[in-house]
Amino acid sequence: MKRVVVCRLIVFFTEFLKQPGSTVDGFYSSYRGGIRDYKSKMSDNNEPESKKANLELSKGKKIGTHNGTFHSDEVLACFMLKQLPEYKDAQIIRSRDSSILDTCDIVVDVGGIYDPSKNLFDHHQKEFNVTMKSPSGKQFATKLSSAGLVYLHFGHRVLAEVLHLEPNDSNVSNLYDKIYESFVEEIDGIDNGISICDEKPRYLVTTDLSSRVKHLNLSWNDKEVDVEKQFEKAFSLVGMEFVERINFYANSWLPARDFVLKAIKRMKSVDGSEEIIELENAGYPWKDHLFSLEKELHLSVPIKFAIFQDGSGKWRVQAVPKFADSFELRVPLLERWRGLRQGKLEEVSGIEGIDFVHANGFIGGHKNRLGVLRMAKETLKEYHKKVTNE
């Protein structure tokens, strides 16, 4: 249902911008107005007076940012601000003229000043070195862009508005770090010219969000393209992906934590080594939660394998990576099994019913639960024997 709503909203936004004289601000006024009309028809309760007051105050307000070439950081900063009641109806002013920016209620990514008490959020100063400091105590090393600055100061409220929760709701707190490290931090790093790795990358990544926003800017030989219309396209692109990411982590990623916690608590009944967990209702994101729960529960022995049934009911054994999104594994399945299937694999492994093992050893399959458990156990047996002998 939520996916359908998001898709319809994207179509509506696209069609709206095709109309002569249409703007992002016009879209927001129409969209927000429609939502408010709908809510008033569906409920006899009026909006709280404080929220009404914020909506009224947002009319006539201005969000300032620079003109010319736009980047994903100020686009996201503006989008996040527009989620807040006090800026929902604010006009986005793109200029580098200080006399114009001085008339704005909040300024991002331009002006050469970072002063939250004055609603000034630029990050281009030579002495600027602010990084994200999470309320949970987690420290991030990436220098903030204007997007990170807005998220730092308004992030809890932005998440609450998108999810229709209170800012102090535990779900908002649980999502705050995740949304930063999975969406905003990448934008901060790219805008500040911070490489994702210390060595030369093995290949180029040119389809990330920042790259797609970059390509919406005018080409050197574009003569009749409206740069403000292109900014509006970027605003739509960034905003839709930001909201979709929040909804994914709120509605899919976060609920999966309870399943992983349950699997860890009963792993002793799966295998006495406490290095194998069995996941129920597979298909949910489990690795992030596994790493965080290992730390929270102070597990002395890292978990090496997860066994589960996939969506088609087939049994799988999957090796745990060294860290989230890594291709390196704590313990890969046995090397002599890798890349083999069925008959040949049965012959080499001596395990009847074994189906396959991936070429890099990260996953394998068997006809039943006991088979994948045996695959994990035999791999661990050889791994510990090797470690002992070294």
Side-chain angles (χ1 to χ4, degrees):
M1 179 63 183
K2 289 176 180 177
R3 187 185 298 271
V4 172
V5 171
V6 169
C7 290
R8 286 178 178 171
L9 183 56
I10 294 171
V11 172
F12 175 55
F13 192 105
T14 303
E15 292 302 315
F16 185 91
L17 289 181
K18 291 179 182 177
Q19 301 174 22
S22 60
T23 64
V24 167
D25 293 321
F27 168 77
Y28 261 85
S29 296
S30 175
Y31 172 66
R32 299 291 185 187
I35 291 296
R36 289 196 291 273
D37 290 345
Y38 174 77
K39 286 182 176 178
S40 66
K41 290 177 182 178
M42 294 298 291
S43 173
D44 292 329
N45 298 322
N46 292 324
E47 289 180 316
E49 291 301 319
S50 60
K51 193 165 187 178
K52 282 185 176 180
N54 279 328
L55 288 171
E56 288 301 319
L57 285 171
S58 73
K59 294 177 180 178
K61 284 198 170 184
K62 299 175 183 178
I63 299 170
T65 190
H66 63 81
N67 58 358
T69 301
F70 48 81
H71 314 96
S72 57
D73 72 312
E74 80 267 15
V75 176
L76 178 57
C78 290
F79 183 87
M80 288 192 287
L81 289 172
K82 294 274 282 184
Q83 308 315 298
L84 303 176
E86 64 267 37
Y87 295 115
K88 278 181 178 177
D89 295 323
Q91 182 183 4
I92 298 174
I93 304 295
R94 300 182 68 237
S95 176
R96 294 184 184 274
D97 188 329
S98 59
S99 64
I100 294 175
L101 293 173
D102 286 344
T103 68
C104 296
D105 299 275
I106 188 167
V107 177
V108 298
D109 209 43
V110 68
I113 299 173
Y114 167 51
D115 186 347
S117 69
K118 296 180 180 178
N119 279 342
L120 300 176
F121 297 95
D122 197 10
H123 68 107
H124 294 100
Q125 307 82 274
K126 183 178 181 180
E127 69 278 6
F128 182 90
N129 59 1
V130 180
T131 59
M132 181 62 64
K133 294 177 178 60
S134 166
S136 68
K138 188 171 184 177
Q139 297 288 324
F140 295 89
T142 305
K143 186 167 73 171
L144 301 183
S145 67
S146 62
L149 284 175
V150 169
Y151 193 78
L152 174 66
H153 291 279
F154 301 99
H156 281 87
R157 292 183 57 216
V158 170
L159 295 179
E161 288 293 331
V162 172
L163 296 171
H164 306 292
L165 299 172
E166 293 298 321
N168 60 355
D169 189 287
S170 61
N171 286 324
V172 172
S173 299
N174 290 334
L175 289 168
Y176 183 81
D177 286 359
K178 189 61 183 175
I179 296 300
Y180 179 73
E181 67 184 6
S182 67
F183 195 94
V184 183
E185 186 176 20
E186 170 191 327
I187 291 173
D188 286 343
I190 291 173
D191 194 75
N192 282 305
I194 302 171
S195 298
I196 196 170
C197 57
D198 294 329
E199 300 178 359
K200 182 180 179 180
R202 294 184 178 181
Y203 53 86
L204 296 176
V205 177
T206 61
T207 57
D208 59 277
L209 182 58
S210 292
S211 295
R212 283 179 284 138
V213 168
K214 176 183 176 182
H215 292 307
L216 287 173
N217 281 282
L218 304 187
S219 296
W220 68 271
N221 54 353
D222 282 332
K223 303 300 181 183
E224 298 181 359
V225 178
D226 186 342
V227 66
E228 298 307 316
K229 285 289 186 183
Q230 295 303 104
F231 179 84
E232 290 168 358
K233 290 180 182 179
F235 186 93
S236 173
L237 171 66
V238 172
M240 291 297 180
E241 293 203 12
F242 182 61
V243 171
E244 286 180 346
R245 192 68 60 89
I246 292 172
N247 284 326
F248 165 76
Y249 283 112
N251 301 318
S252 177
W253 177 82
L254 190 57
R257 188 179 193 277
D258 291 337
F259 288 94
V260 180
L261 178 60
K262 181 180 178 182
I264 290 175
K265 286 184 175 179
R266 61 183 182 84
M267 65 180 171
K268 188 174 288 188
S269 65
V270 176
D271 179 63
S273 69
E274 299 187 24
E275 294 178 281
I276 305 170
I277 60 171
E278 182 173 351
L279 302 171
E280 292 182 317
N281 304 318
Y284 51 80
W286 56 272
K287 294 171 190 171
D288 281 340
H289 299 302
L290 177 66
F291 294 126
S292 62
L293 286 168
E294 281 181 329
K295 292 180 181 177
E296 289 178 30
L297 299 173
H298 304 290
L299 300 185
S300 58
V301 179
I303 295 167
K304 311 298 193 307
F305 291 102
I307 63 172
F308 55 88
Q309 283 183 287
D310 66 14
S312 64
K314 295 180 180 179
W315 281 93
R316 301 288 183 251
V317 53
Q318 187 166 348
V320 176
K322 289 186 175 180
F323 51 87
D325 299 322
S326 170
F327 292 111
E328 291 187 75
L329 307 170
R330 287 176 173 176
V331 180
L333 291 166
L334 293 176
E335 186 172 1
R336 62 179 177 273
W337 298 350
R338 297 176 205 169
L340 301 181
R341 302 186 65 86
Q342 297 170 348
K344 181 63 176 178
L345 185 54
E346 282 192 358
E347 179 183 332
V348 172
S349 67
I351 302 175
E352 185 178 353
I354 195 169
D355 186 23
F356 77 96
V357 172
H358 192 276
N360 73 355
F362 92 96
I363 195 168
H366 194 281
K367 292 180 179 179
N368 57 54
R369 176 184 178 277
L370 291 178
V372 290
L373 186 58
R374 182 179 171 185
M375 291 168 71
K377 285 184 173 182
E378 290 202 10
T379 300
L380 285 173
K381 182 179 178 181
E382 292 202 16
Y383 165 75
H384 287 301
K385 183 178 179 180
K386 181 180 178 182
V387 170
T388 301
N389 292 335
E390 287 179 349

